[in-house]
Amino acid sequence: MAVCDFPETSQPIGQASTPCLRKFTIHFRRPAKLKQKKGATYKGEYGFDWLRDEYIYPIEEVLYDNCSDSESPILINDYRALCLKSDQLKLEYLQVGIADPIQPHGQDYYPAWLSIFACDVQGDNADKGSDMHKDGVYLDLQLDEIDKIINDGTEIFFKPSEPCLKITPEKISIKKFLKTSIKKRSINKDTDTKISYYLLKNAVKIICQGDTLKEHGQIKVFAKLGSTEIEVGQLMVYQNDSIGEANLVVVNVITEYDNNNKVIPQSHPSLDDIFNNQSFNQAMIKVKIKATEDFDLVELRNKTNNKDIIDFLYDIKDSTYMKSQRKNPKDPKKTIESASDIKERLIKIYEKFGKNIPADGKPIHDEKHHNTYLLFTNLNPTMRNGVAVGGEACGKITSSHVIEWGNGLVIFQSGLKDRHIIIHEAAHSFTLPHTFETFSENDSANNKHIFYRGYTENVMDYNAYLISGKPLVYDQNKYNGQMYSFFKWQWDLMRKDKKSIKY
């Protein structure tokens, strides 16, 4: 039995033909509708990342490049790969964390990554387990044709790297793929290049059961016809025996009363769920809401007569200040950005009067307490163009153009119940920048891969892309409302944030 190059010439009359294993690759993909969630769409329940075609091929029409300068965007109006340096992104998925890269049929192969908790874990590391994925995770299988596939008895089978890593079924006949309709997808809109493929929806179930993965695991995929066996795919499974723990301190900032009653910000009703079941769980991080407090600035003003609080409560009543139109006394050519200023002032006041400040009077942005402070406020600051700011994380750009993120974030009125805004700003505190921002070539800026703004489903993207440069006009990202994904390399970065996470 052999792998053959097609087309072949016919065998001479009277000579038996030798069946050949046709060339194709198998790829694991996240289903559009999750079988384990009764057909619901993906909402970050597990980590799944793969090298999307549109990131490396000119498939999406990009109108403007506003990565380097949001005020002076560059007109593109052409099909582009969404990652500005797609060759570097390819290397990320080709090499990083992959012990045994493959090249089926001489082609580079970019394995997908799955991140799930282990279940039914016993013994010393039982605390590393979770029931979150005890029913397994279903994934699609995508067969990309190189040769034309036929019903020749070829079987696809799977080999997990560890006993605790289980996949069902253990094998699938090529016949099952052929029972679905063949599809085509574009990988170059300029040349109209397309790939033919088959898609088996929710084809396999994967579970990590009985033990944890001490290092990244993998599920190898083989195609077999007779005695010929070729590796045609892989799934990488993220190490899950080291679970990060992060503390969240929730602070409801009170700046006004109504008929002698505190006006408490009404924030998202399920903070535990959106952190632990829709976002940070992808990076194997468990978030604990350590404390919740009402931080009453009106009461503090009356009790302490503190000048910072008096000035703050006065300024937030000034519409010029709240609309970012007040002149900056340090630079009269500029105005004060109200959201950033409010954030800095609130953090400073909380450090002095808050009930749950770090032990021993350490600053909030100290690296030794592992608390992240989430401040909710009914204030509604806007940018100079009138757009409301949903939230801001604490961070600064150093003289070497590297971002240093702090341990605090403020969510304003328009973001109080917005899952994406809350998780997006919190992820900043865990060292993640925007997907589209360029600061420097320094890797410590955590901006190793840059994408055009507003075109991806990543949590750290924005939910709008630019459609006009003068004036600046935006349209909705097509993934708006469905931006639940972190990239695998973002999982890595979040887990390295020693100021926010302990192990």
Side-chain angles (χ1 to χ4, degrees):
M1 204 71 70
V3 178
C4 297
D5 292 318
F6 292 89
E8 294 183 282
T9 57
S10 300
Q11 297 287 344
I13 295 175
Q15 181 177 333
S17 63
T18 302
C20 299
L21 180 59
R22 307 233 164 182
K23 295 178 182 178
F24 57 88
T25 54
I26 297 290
H27 305 267
F28 293 83
R29 293 294 180 257
R30 193 186 71 208
K33 294 184 178 181
L34 308 186
K35 185 175 181 178
Q36 69 270 24
K37 292 291 183 178
K38 299 181 180 180
T41 57
Y42 176 76
K43 292 184 177 180
E45 293 89 348
Y46 53 88
F48 192 84
D49 185 34
W50 72 104
L51 184 59
R52 282 83 158 168
D53 289 341
E54 62 268 28
Y55 293 176
I56 59 173
Y57 298 124
I59 299 172
E60 293 281 350
E61 187 175 12
V62 177
L63 299 181
Y64 286 90
D65 177 0
N66 57 342
C67 296
S68 300
D69 189 346
S70 60
E71 298 297 324
S72 302
I74 302 169
L75 179 65
I76 296 178
N77 198 24
D78 196 6
Y79 292 106
R80 292 288 178 88
L82 293 183
C83 183
L84 274 64
K85 296 181 179 180
S86 57
D87 286 343
Q88 291 184 14
L89 188 66
K90 289 178 184 178
L91 290 176
E92 178 80 39
Y93 287 87
L94 194 65
Q95 299 176 352
V96 178
I98 302 170
D100 187 19
I102 61 172
Q103 282 193 313
H105 312 299
Q107 296 188 351
D108 285 339
Y109 184 88
Y110 308 97
W113 282 84
L114 174 66
S115 173
I116 54 175
F117 286 95
C119 65
D120 301 329
V121 180
Q122 306 296 322
D124 293 340
N125 63 342
D127 61 327
K128 308 300 182 185
S130 169
D131 288 339
M132 185 173 184
H133 303 121
K134 65 183 178 63
D135 295 325
V137 168
Y138 287 87
L139 297 177
D140 291 349
L141 288 181
Q142 176 183 296
L143 184 154
D144 285 357
E145 280 192 335
I146 300 173
D147 298 327
K148 184 68 178 176
I149 303 305
I150 62 172
N151 185 12
D152 57 3
T154 296
E155 284 191 328
I156 311 298
F157 66 96
F158 310 98
K159 290 184 179 180
S161 60
E162 305 294 335
C164 63
L165 199 54
K166 301 169 185 178
I167 180 170
T168 52
E170 296 180 351
K171 62 182 179 180
I172 295 175
S173 169
I174 200 76
K175 182 179 180 180
K176 194 165 184 179
F177 287 92
L178 291 168
K179 286 183 177 180
T180 67
S181 59
I182 191 169
K183 305 174 186 291
K184 290 184 182 291
R185 69 180 191 276
S186 174
I187 59 169
N188 191 319
K189 287 291 183 71
D190 293 327
T191 62
D192 198 31
T193 304
K194 296 181 180 179
I195 291 178
S196 297
Y197 71 102
Y198 294 87
L199 186 67
L200 279 183
K201 298 179 180 179
N202 290 286
V204 292
K205 183 176 79 169
I206 298 168
I207 190 170
C208 185
Q209 187 175 38
D211 200 0
T212 56
L213 294 171
K214 309 303 185 293
E215 57 186 23
H216 299 322
Q218 61 183 194
I219 297 176
K220 293 176 175 285
V221 187
F222 293 86
K224 186 175 182 180
L225 180 60
S227 61
T228 302
E229 182 178 302
I230 299 291
E231 188 172 359
V232 294
Q234 281 185 351
L235 174 69
M236 297 301 301
V237 185
Y238 205 78
Q239 175 185 355
N240 59 16
D241 79 322
S242 178
I243 308 302
E245 297 178 3
N247 293 324
L248 196 64
V249 177
V250 177
V251 181
N252 296 312
V253 180
I254 297 166
T255 56
E256 61 179 332
Y257 277 56
D258 182 23
N259 292 326
N260 294 321
N261 294 314
K262 301 176 182 179
V263 180
I264 301 173
Q266 300 300 302
S267 59
H268 196 287
S270 304
L271 289 178
D272 181 79
D273 183 51
I274 65 174
F275 276 97
N276 288 308
N277 298 318
Q278 299 182 24
S279 57
F280 281 48
N281 52 290
Q282 297 174 44
M284 293 286 113
I285 297 171
K286 291 183 178 179
V287 178
K288 176 184 177 182
I289 299 179
K290 183 179 179 180
T292 300
E293 69 172 286
D294 291 343
F295 189 50
D296 190 338
L297 295 186
V298 177
E299 183 179 41
L300 277 171
R301 177 196 60 190
N302 296 338
K303 283 184 176 180
T304 67
N305 204 33
N306 178 266
K307 186 177 186 305
D308 289 337
I309 299 176
I310 292 171
D311 290 346
F312 179 81
L313 292 176
Y314 176 82
D315 285 342
I316 62 175
K317 301 296 184 182
D318 179 2
S319 62
T320 302
Y321 173 76
M322 294 300 291
K323 293 178 181 179
S324 299
Q325 294 173 354
R326 181 187 289 183
K327 295 295 182 182
N328 189 332
K330 296 180 181 179
D331 186 350
K333 295 180 180 180
K334 297 181 179 179
T335 59
I336 297 173
E337 295 182 1
S338 58
S340 294
D341 195 60
I342 289 170
K343 171 193 66 183
E344 298 298 333
R345 294 168 75 177
L346 279 179
I347 292 294
K348 180 181 177 182
I349 293 170
Y350 183 80
E351 283 183 324
K352 188 170 184 178
F353 296 102
K355 296 176 183 177
N356 291 283
I357 57 175
D360 302 323
K362 294 185 179 73
I364 280 179
H365 302 315
D366 190 84
E367 295 186 358
K368 299 177 182 178
H369 58 78
H370 304 112
N371 290 341
T372 297
Y373 290 83
L374 173 53
L375 279 64
F376 289 110
T377 173
N378 285 322
L379 298 177
N380 189 33
T382 66
M383 296 183 287
R384 288 187 297 276
N385 61 6
V387 175
V389 179
E392 275 211 12
C394 296
K396 62 181 180 180
I397 301 177
T398 67
S399 58
S400 56
H401 301 286
V402 174
I403 307 178
E404 289 184 356
W405 297 102
N407 288 328
L409 60 148
V410 178
I411 303 298
F412 301 106
Q413 186 182 71
S414 62
L416 288 176
K417 296 182 183 296
D418 191 312
R419 172 204 57 84
H420 178 231
I421 289 177
I422 295 170
I423 298 303
H424 176 105
E425 298 302 332
H428 278 319
S429 288
F430 285 74
T431 77
L432 297 189
H434 294 128
T435 55
F436 50 82
E437 281 181 322
T438 56
F439 296 99
S440 73
E441 295 299 320
N442 191 326
D443 275 349
S444 64
N446 288 349
N447 60 336
K448 56 199 296 191
H449 303 297
I450 309 300
F451 297 79
Y452 291 110
R453 173 177 167 177
Y455 292 90
T456 78
E457 63 173 329
N458 192 268
V459 172
M460 302 315 294
D461 200 356
Y462 273 4
N463 63 359
Y465 65 96
L466 194 64
I467 60 174
S468 173
K470 289 185 178 181
L472 297 177
V473 179
Y474 292 86
D475 199 359
Q476 276 194 353
N477 183 331
K478 66 180 179 181
Y479 297 108
N480 185 42
Q482 296 295 322
M483 299 170 72
Y484 288 93
S485 296
F486 288 111
F487 299 133
K488 181 265 174 183
W489 49 270
Q490 291 174 321
W491 307 343
D492 295 340
L493 292 171
M494 293 168 74
R495 291 176 58 80
K496 292 177 182 177
D497 182 19
K498 294 181 181 179
K499 66 176 177 52
S500 303
I501 300 171
K502 60 181 178 181
Y503 292 96

